[in-house]
Amino acid sequence: MGETVLKMEGIDFSFDHQTVLEGVDLEIQKGDFLALVGPNGSGKSTLLKLALGALKPDRGKVSLFGVPLRRFRDWSRIGYVSQKANSFNRDFPATVREVVASGLYGKLGLFRRMKKEDWKRVEEAIKQVGLESLSRRNIGKLSGGQQQRAFIARALVSDPEFLILDEPTVGVDTRSVDEFYRLLAHLHRKKGMSLLLVTHDIGVVTTYVNRIACLNRRLFFHGDTDEFVGREKEVFTAAYGHPVQVVEHAH
Amino acid sequence: MIEMILHYGFMQRALAAGVIIGVVSPIVGLFLVVRRLSLIADALAHVTLSGVAAGLLLQKQFPAFQALNPMVSGMVFSLTASVFVERLRRLYRSYQELAIPVILSGGIGLGVVLISAADGFNVDVAGYLFGSILAVGESELWVIIGTGVLAGLVICFFYKELFALSFDEESAVLSGIPRRLVHLLFSLVVALVITASIRVVGILLVSGLITLPVAASLQIATSFRQALWLSVLFAQISVLSGLAAAFYFDWASGGTIVLVSVLILLAVAGGKRLIRPGSGKTGAA
């Protein structure tokens, strides 16, 4: 087995005296495409924040690429598309190009300006998500699906090995959603990228991902998709507290 | 006007001060506006009033402070306040704008008390309130030049970090951009620029020079760079008109600058509607 990209062990987290997460163990190996599913308020976004060091667990250990989070500095190896990407200021004066370029700034570091080859990488990332004809358009004027792809490009531009997406398809129309998943599948299969996707689209993801984790305060399932399919009713009933209608999209 | 500028020292100083302020104010303003912090400029300007009053009081009471330029004490006050704004904002998670009236009224309150305690000054306090570009002295010009250079350097060196933090703070921080350092440096630059602008537009109108050219540029800019250059262009037109109005008609420079900025904003917004009807509203299509 290859490198472990993300390892979370025995994570407990509470907020305002409410237990949000309890004894969560999550592991993502290099080349995995894992979907993290669970009901609203199940602690999915919190788990991501803990994985990225934006929150500190009450108990448990987190490591990225084998390095304890406390000492991890190599943030350019990780791309992150937040849920908030949908709620940015749509009057912000910025083109797709400018927004995508900002994904490189952390990696470039202070006092280094964008060079020609950096802009080339920006153009490549934009091309990868199929927005090249819109690269000089104002980002606020794009459709929801196009904006989403611009944010993926921003995450991709620093050439990350591990991409984390927090409910990226909320507010995106169905056709764009399918296109979007195909893009993720492409990154996974062709580029060998490891992905962690938080999502509500339970039916769709089983087509694309190879690993599934089902969370509701604690993990109710964490394993291969093949193992999950056929057991989903039982897992979801346990995790959600009631049976869940799994909607399959036609492909 | 060109011969006049060559002829009179005060015109040369006024022009230099106006051009420098007309570059740095709208640039700083753009970053403030897109982060929805444009009112901070107003709050800090009012704190500067108390700093200026404190400087004048020191001058009056203690001969040792004769050489102190009130602009310097104004700067010290607004620098201190700029650091506190962030702290105050964190005090209330959902009422972040409360920091602004707290600082604004605190600044003006202290300023008024200091002025009354001094029982009047030899200098014209109104010059600080409303600005008088033709009265920029040599030492003040040096303060303005220093501020311009410093602000220019910080914005050049941290342009990409400032942009990333303004657009999406969460992602910027996660990508490894040092938020605290950049925010701190930027707040210090804001405080300096506001104080330096006071001679040109006055305490009461500083926020106009900082936000109005930006407001006009946001109507038509597609990219951030465009917004930047357009707001500088609009600010230069306003400042030079203010200078001309002050020289030829003896009008208040600050008032003219702000009025011209308002006219530019109206013209840009109106022109946009004429060219592309229905595009008056910005935002998601």
Side-chain angles (χ1 to χ4, degrees):
Chain A
M1 205 58 201
E3 197 181 359
T4 306
V5 175
L6 168 70
K7 189 167 185 160
M8 306 181 82
E9 290 170 281
I11 301 293
D12 287 354
F13 184 79
S14 51
F15 185 75
D16 271 352
H17 306 291
Q18 288 244 322
T19 307
V20 182
L21 294 167
E22 213 179 336
V24 175
D25 297 299
L26 192 74
E27 209 176 296
I28 297 179
Q29 300 289 332
K30 192 175 162 64
D32 274 351
F33 185 173
L34 180 134
L36 181 62
V37 297
N40 278 327
S42 58
K44 300 186 299 274
S45 293
T46 306
L47 194 66
L48 285 197
K49 288 202 175 101
L50 289 161
L52 291 163
L55 289 174
K56 289 207 165 32
D58 300 335
R59 209 172 328 164
K61 282 187 281 187
V62 181
S63 61
L64 285 164
F65 297 100
V67 181
L69 194 58
R70 196 163 23 85
R71 287 193 281 117
F72 188 78
R73 293 286 173 274
D74 227 353
W75 291 107
S76 63
R77 296 176 78 179
I78 296 169
Y80 173 58
V81 182
S82 90
Q83 207 174 2
K84 280 204 198 119
N86 300 304
S87 58
F88 74 102
N89 169 10
R90 281 177 173 71
D91 287 337
F92 197 99
T95 57
V96 172
R97 229 168 149 259
E98 285 176 314
V99 170
V100 173
S102 72
L104 267 180
Y105 294 167
K107 188 178 190 174
L108 279 176
L110 299 174
F111 307 117
R112 264 205 52 201
R113 309 192 66 131
M114 290 283 287
K115 296 207 187 92
K116 219 182 217 157
E117 62 259 33
D118 298 320
W119 281 113
K120 210 180 233 168
R121 292 172 70 176
V122 171
E123 300 297 348
E124 272 163 27
I126 292 174
K127 207 169 153 192
Q128 212 168 1
V129 298
L131 286 181
E132 55 273 47
S133 60
L134 301 172
S135 89
R136 282 168 201 277
R137 289 275 283 278
N138 183 288
I139 186 141
K141 305 278 190 294
L142 269 51
S143 74
Q146 290 165 338
Q147 284 166 354
Q148 201 59 39
R149 279 189 277 157
F151 289 119
I152 303 284
R154 180 181 63 174
L156 291 178
V157 71
S158 65
D159 222 354
E161 299 157 58
F162 181 29
L163 190 60
I164 300 178
L165 307 112
D166 191 359
E167 300 200 27
T169 54
V170 172
V172 176
D173 60 281
T174 323
R175 219 193 62 204
S176 306
V177 168
D178 286 339
E179 242 172 69
F180 180 78
Y181 281 127
R182 276 199 290 277
L183 171 65
L184 294 187
H186 171 80
L187 293 171
H188 174 227
R189 279 195 220 109
K190 296 278 155 60
K191 306 263 168 177
M193 201 177 275
S194 319
L195 293 110
L196 167 55
L197 169 73
V198 170
T199 184
H200 268 111
D201 303 336
I202 304 154
V204 186
V205 290
T206 49
T207 331
Y208 299 101
V209 304
N210 70 326
R211 306 271 294 169
I212 287 185
C214 183
L215 183 78
N216 191 5
R217 209 170 73 181
R218 57 190 184 82
L219 278 183
F220 286 81
F221 182 87
H222 182 21
D224 289 339
T225 310
D226 306 336
E227 235 176 280
F228 180 76
V229 175
R231 276 185 59 199
E232 64 252 58
K233 282 217 176 81
E234 163 204 340
V235 172
F236 283 138
T237 309
Y240 285 68
H242 57 82
V244 175
Q245 181 90 39
V246 177
V247 184
E248 290 279 359
H249 286 221
H251 284 287
Chain B
M1 196 161 86
I2 290 162
E3 300 133 65
M4 304 295 185
I5 289 164
L6 296 174
H7 203 263
Y8 296 115
F10 75 88
M11 274 304 273
Q12 291 164 6
R13 288 195 297 273
L15 182 69
V19 168
I20 294 171
I21 295 303
V23 171
V24 288
S25 296
I27 295 181
V28 164
L30 176 60
F31 286 109
L32 285 175
V33 168
V34 295
R35 286 173 59 208
R36 304 178 199 281
L37 293 176
S38 48
L39 285 172
I40 278 187
D42 223 6
L44 292 182
H46 286 80
V47 171
T48 308
L49 172 71
S50 56
V52 167
L56 291 171
L57 187 63
L58 282 174
Q59 266 185 354
K60 193 176 173 180
Q61 304 288 351
F62 306 100
F65 286 101
Q66 268 316 317
L68 175 86
N69 190 317
M71 255 174 89
V72 175
S73 54
M75 248 170 209
V76 172
F77 272 58
S78 70
L79 282 173
T80 316
S82 72
V83 176
F84 274 101
V85 173
E86 281 292 318
R87 295 241 167 133
L88 265 175
R89 274 159 54 83
R90 261 177 266 149
L91 209 60
Y92 296 94
R93 222 183 322 158
S94 12
Y95 301 106
Q96 294 201 336
E97 73 278 10
L98 258 182
I100 287 157
V102 169
I103 296 222
L104 189 146
S105 47
I108 226 127
L110 182 60
V112 170
V113 166
L114 287 173
I115 291 168
S116 67
D119 201 14
F121 296 119
N122 298 328
V123 285
D124 187 10
V125 176
Y128 289 101
L129 286 177
F130 303 114
S132 49
I133 193 168
L134 298 183
V136 173
E138 203 156 314
S139 67
E140 282 164 340
L141 181 59
W142 282 113
V143 174
I144 291 172
I145 292 174
T147 301
V149 170
L150 202 73
L153 285 176
V154 168
I155 288 161
C156 270
F157 282 129
F158 294 97
Y159 175 83
K160 61 187 201 317
E161 285 78 15
L162 283 167
F163 173 85
L165 284 168
S166 306
F167 183 76
D168 179 351
E169 187 160 311
E170 189 190 21
S171 301
V173 171
L174 283 172
S175 75
I177 287 172
R179 163 174 49 188
R180 283 194 180 184
L181 173 74
V182 177
H183 277 342
L184 178 70
L185 278 173
F186 182 69
S187 341
L188 298 180
V189 165
V190 170
L192 290 179
V193 167
I194 285 167
T195 314
S197 310
I198 276 169
R199 253 317 184 194
V200 176
V201 278
I203 285 162
L204 296 178
L205 297 171
V206 162
S207 66
L209 183 58
I210 284 191
T211 54
L212 287 173
V214 177
S217 78
L218 287 182
Q219 283 287 320
I220 44 177
T222 310
S223 72
F224 198 74
R225 240 160 225 280
Q226 241 177 41
L228 199 88
W229 292 121
L230 282 173
S231 40
V232 169
L233 174 74
F234 295 151
Q236 290 294 338
I237 296 172
S238 312
V239 168
L240 294 178
S241 318
L243 178 57
F247 184 78
Y248 288 109
F249 312 119
D250 206 16
W251 290 359
S253 58
T256 315
I257 289 170
V258 168
L259 283 181
V260 173
S261 303
V262 172
L263 287 179
I264 291 175
L265 171 61
L266 293 176
V268 168
K272 191 174 135 184
R273 265 159 218 256
L274 277 181
I275 295 163
R276 280 176 292 167
S279 66
K281 274 173 272 163
T282 53

